[in-house]
């Protein structure tokens, strides 16, 4: 195993952990975006419909909370669970709240800057472990559920 990744499955010796993960991440992301938009639409009436005027900001806030809380609960969003993938930290353990928050902050930062997001996507598709920039910074990986 590569130094720094001793607690993660080796992509050469155990490729089944990383098989189809980039495409599963994309589908999970689409599921999560749809779910977040639906949640936001359900929340709008509780804002006396004022939320319509700042809908993108509301989607961003609800998405941030959704992503952080679901990853903290089971190391995966609901989209990731449907696609049978999960995040593992640098020790190979499931994410706790702090790691979920840091991962969501990194993800949000990447979304805010298109060049960073493009580099992150290229890394997910092109690297052996399919890590995004945020994953690389945190030492985490996305793997198929065991």
């Amino acid at each position: 195993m590569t130094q720094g990744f001793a607690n993660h499955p080796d992509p050469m010796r155990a490729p089944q952990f990383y098989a189809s993960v980039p495409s599963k991440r994309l589908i999970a992301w689409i599921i999560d975006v749809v779910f977040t938009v639906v949640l936001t639409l359900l929340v709008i009436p509780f804002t006396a419909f004022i939320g319509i005027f700042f809908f993108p900001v509301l989607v961003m806030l609800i998405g941030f909370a959704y992503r952080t809380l679901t990853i903290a609960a089971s190391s995966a969003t609901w989209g990731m669970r449907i696609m049978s993938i999960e995040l593992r930290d640098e020790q190979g353990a499931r994410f706790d709240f702090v790691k979920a928050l840091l991962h969501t902050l990194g993800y949000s930062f990447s979304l805010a800057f298109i060049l960073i997001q493009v580099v992150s996507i290229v890394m997910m598709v092109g690297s052996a472990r399919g890590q995004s920039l945020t994953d690389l910074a945190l030492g985490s990986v996305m793997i198929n559920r065991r």
Side-chain angles (χ1 to χ4, degrees):
M1 292 189 192
T2 309
Q3 187 176 9
F5 295 104
N7 295 308
H8 298 301
D10 185 320
M12 298 303 222
R13 293 188 185 136
Q16 68 275 16
F17 284 104
Y18 303 100
S20 302
V21 168
S23 57
K24 288 180 177 184
R25 277 183 104 149
L26 174 61
I27 296 167
W29 180 80
I30 292 168
I31 292 167
D32 290 331
V33 167
V34 168
F35 186 76
T36 301
V37 169
V38 169
L39 262 177
T40 305
L41 290 171
L42 292 172
V43 166
I44 293 236
F46 296 102
T47 68
F49 295 96
I50 295 170
I52 293 170
F53 299 108
F54 55 96
F55 187 76
V57 173
L58 199 54
V59 169
M60 205 171 61
L61 292 172
I62 289 173
F64 190 93
Y66 159 77
R67 187 171 179 83
T68 301
L69 295 174
T70 56
I71 290 173
S74 69
S75 217
T77 63
W78 289 342
M80 293 174 198
R81 289 180 216 170
I82 290 168
M83 296 311 300
S84 296
I85 54 177
E86 65 186 357
L87 287 160
R88 292 296 176 136
D89 70 10
E90 69 282 353
Q91 300 300 317
R94 290 178 166 215
F95 275 36
D96 58 17
F97 180 79
V98 172
K99 288 176 187 150
L101 180 64
L102 290 172
H103 198 275
T104 302
L105 281 170
Y107 164 77
S108 299
F109 183 78
S110 292
L111 285 181
F113 299 96
I114 189 69
L115 183 59
I116 293 173
Q117 185 62 21
V118 169
V119 169
S120 197
I121 291 168
V122 168
M123 288 179 60
M124 282 186 265
V125 173
S127 65
R129 287 185 168 83
Q131 292 174 290
S132 67
L133 280 173
T134 300
D135 292 328
L136 195 60
L138 295 176
S140 60
V141 294
M142 180 79 71
I143 59 172
N144 288 307
R145 284 187 178 244
R146 296 180 177 150

